[in-house]
């Protein structure tokens, strides 16, 4: 059985055991010495409500889960130096392009601006930095099914440009309001080769 067929059948590549996968990513937690600023940032970014909050920890959510994001107050932490290893970012998926673009408009009006907005091909994405420099991605899937997204990633045009094409969310929202379809707006143009040197760090 090929690895691809095994993956589709839920069997790991290490043997014939059936893979037991998590049902979801439940939450993420950040430690910070900028507690008020970090709580305010995430509350604004995702329009969160607190399920519990005191001077040491804030558990916040945007849905039925008890918390999706937790911020923990730890005094006197050193900032992480640029160019060190670690997770690069965490990503959140929106249901529609309209939801993503309307969220951008809400945040832009509050002065919260992404440092990068891009159509990767499989997703249309916006990236933000929190007050500690951690990166958060907001995205929408550009294809109706996971299979279509995977198939796109196997195309030569994605191989020559796995980074994507920069976008203007405000312009896209206006075009959407003027009647262009989400499907048309999510289609990534082919601009030729683009490499990791163009990936904001």
């Amino acid at each position: 059985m090929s690895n691809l067929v095994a993956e589709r059948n839920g069997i790991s590549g290490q043997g014939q055991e059936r893979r037991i996968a998590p049902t979801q990513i439940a939450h993420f937690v950040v430690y910070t010495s900028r507690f008020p600023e970090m709580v305010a940032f995430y509350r604004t970014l995702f329009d969160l409500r607190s399920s519990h909050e005191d001077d040491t920890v804030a558990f916040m959510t945007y849905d039925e889960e008890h918390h999706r994001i937790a911020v923990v107050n730890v005094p006197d932490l050193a900032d992480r130096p640029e160019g060190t290893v670690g997770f690069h970012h965490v990503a959140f998926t929106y249901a529609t392009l309209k939801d993503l673009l309307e969220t951008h408009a809400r945040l832009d009006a509050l002065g919260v601006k992404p440092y990068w907005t891009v159509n990767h091909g499989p997703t249309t994405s916006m990236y933000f930095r929190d007050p500690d420099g951690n990166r958060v991605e907001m995205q929408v899937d550009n294809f109706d099914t996971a299979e279509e997204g995977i198939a796109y990633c196997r195309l030569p045009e994605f191989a020559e440009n796995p980074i994507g094409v920069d976008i203007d969310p405000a312009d896209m929202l206006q075009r959407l309001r003027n009647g262009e379809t989400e499907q048309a707006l999510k289609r990534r143009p082919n601009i030729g080769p683009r490499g990791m040197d163009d990936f904001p760090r």
Side-chain angles (χ1 to χ4, degrees):
M1 182 182 294
S2 72
N3 285 341
L4 180 58
V5 172
E7 287 174 10
R8 286 178 176 166
N9 290 330
I11 299 172
S12 74
Q14 300 301 314
Q16 299 302 304
E17 305 86 7
R18 184 160 295 280
R19 180 187 297 115
I20 300 175
T23 58
Q24 63 180 331
I25 297 175
H27 61 259
F28 76 94
V29 179
V30 292
Y31 279 21
T32 184
S33 296
R34 299 180 177 91
F35 185 69
E37 296 94 330
M38 290 283 279
V39 171
F41 175 84
Y42 282 105
R43 182 175 288 127
T44 300
L45 194 68
F46 292 111
D47 198 15
L48 299 173
R49 63 183 185 278
S50 292
S51 50
H52 170 80
E53 185 176 338
D54 56 33
D55 291 339
T56 60
V57 64
F59 293 104
M60 298 176 287
T61 187
Y62 47 72
D63 61 8
E64 71 284 348
E65 188 75 4
H66 42 79
H67 70 288
R68 291 298 183 184
I69 299 168
V71 180
V72 181
N73 190 4
V74 181
D76 304 320
L77 292 176
D79 289 336
R80 185 173 60 192
E82 285 290 328
T84 55
V85 298
F87 281 114
H88 185 271
H89 67 273
V90 60
F92 292 79
T93 300
Y94 284 75
T96 66
L97 179 62
K98 182 177 186 296
D99 288 349
L100 182 70
L101 297 176
E102 293 283 8
T103 297
H104 175 271
R106 174 181 67 83
L107 293 171
D108 189 66
L110 295 170
V112 180
K113 300 182 184 298
Y115 70 86
W116 191 31
T117 54
V118 60
N119 184 331
H120 287 301
T123 67
T124 296
S125 302
M126 310 186 303
Y127 292 84
F128 297 82
R129 285 190 181 91
D130 72 18
D132 279 347
N134 302 304
R135 301 169 184 88
V136 180
E137 178 184 2
M138 293 177 169
Q139 67 173 37
V140 64
D141 289 319
N142 285 344
F143 295 95
D144 292 334
T145 68
E147 290 77 12
E148 289 175 289
I150 292 169
Y152 179 86
C153 291
R154 292 177 175 147
L155 294 177
E157 67 186 71
F158 187 78
E160 74 172 359
N161 176 11
I163 305 304
V165 178
D166 295 347
I167 60 168
D168 181 344
D171 176 68
M172 290 181 72
L173 181 57
Q174 189 59 55
R175 290 164 59 191
L176 187 65
R177 289 171 174 170
N178 289 341
E180 288 193 50
T181 66
E182 291 204 3
Q183 184 179 18
L185 287 167
K186 290 191 292 187
R187 191 175 299 120
R188 194 187 89 169
N190 188 2
I191 62 169
R194 191 177 188 189
M196 288 304 296
D197 288 344
D198 291 325
F199 189 84
R201 287 171 167 77

